[in-house]
Amino acid sequence: MRDLNFPDFQFRFKNNENKRFIFDDIRKKYVLLTPEEWVRQHVVQFLIKVKMYPQSHMNVEKVVKINDMNKRYDVVVFTPKGSIFLLVECKEPSVKITQSVFDQIARYNMSLNAQFLMVTNGLNHYYCKLDYVNKKYQFLTDLP
């Protein structure tokens, strides 16, 4: 897998039937290592080890219902009271971050109401703070 725009993290890998797997600390299991999963696992480690968000407040790859359709978000960080602090959308490095990616996370967030959004392809990261009262958002240079 290619280098990403994150610090170096230690990961656990295993091979099975000519496929490579990476251990997901949140799901507590090995998952197939795809380019998008590589980004997702870096995001998780970044949130835990750099941003110091509690691992126990995170979910990865859970179903969210959007217009009667089941979709999966990549990463969510909850507040201690259970509301959603951060919603993250991950794309593989070859996928450019375009308006359609922002539209996707916005659709997911209509059901989730996160305080912050993060969109990343592992190379480029975008952070956004939402202001629901004034119906605005503000791009940030980093997450709080």
Side-chain angles (χ1 to χ4, degrees):
M1 291 286 151
R2 70 181 290 180
D3 288 339
L4 301 176
N5 188 15
F6 286 105
D8 288 332
F9 298 114
Q10 295 298 311
F11 296 102
R12 292 189 289 170
F13 301 97
K14 78 174 186 178
N15 294 312
N16 189 6
E17 297 179 9
N18 294 326
K19 294 181 182 172
R20 193 146 196 219
F21 294 81
I22 187 168
F23 190 78
D24 182 318
D25 288 333
I26 306 301
R27 291 178 276 185
K28 303 287 189 224
K29 66 179 183 178
Y30 283 93
V31 293
L32 184 65
L33 180 58
T34 63
E36 184 175 317
E37 191 63 45
W38 184 236
V39 173
R40 189 179 299 114
Q41 292 307 313
H42 275 80
V43 167
V44 167
Q45 293 305 310
F46 170 74
L47 296 175
I48 293 169
K49 295 186 172 147
V50 176
K51 301 314 290 180
M52 306 301 285
Y53 298 155
Q55 180 175 327
S56 61
H57 292 187
M58 291 185 198
N59 269 344
V60 173
E61 285 267 293
K62 294 286 185 180
V63 173
V64 60
K65 202 166 212 59
I66 309 291
N67 297 327
D68 294 325
M69 294 174 53
N70 288 336
K71 301 290 185 177
R72 287 189 171 273
Y73 61 70
D74 284 302
V75 181
V76 160
V77 179
F78 294 94
T79 67
K81 292 184 178 182
S83 64
I84 297 179
F85 174 73
L86 173 67
L87 172 62
V88 182
E89 178 60 32
C90 300
K91 297 295 183 191
E92 66 180 74
S94 65
V95 174
K96 289 189 179 186
I97 304 298
T98 62
Q99 184 62 49
S100 67
V101 178
F102 286 103
D103 293 346
Q104 178 185 1
I105 198 170
R107 279 191 305 276
Y108 290 9
N109 197 50
M110 286 176 13
S111 296
L112 300 172
N113 298 313
Q115 295 174 36
F116 295 89
L117 303 177
M118 176 181 178
V119 174
T120 183
N121 62 4
L123 305 173
N124 301 298
H125 317 303
Y126 300 93
Y127 313 105
C128 185
K129 178 177 178 27
L130 299 164
D131 178 351
Y132 292 101
V133 174
N134 297 306
K135 297 181 181 178
K136 294 181 179 182
Y137 60 89
Q138 174 187 7
F139 280 95
L140 307 171
T141 57
D142 198 2
L143 290 170

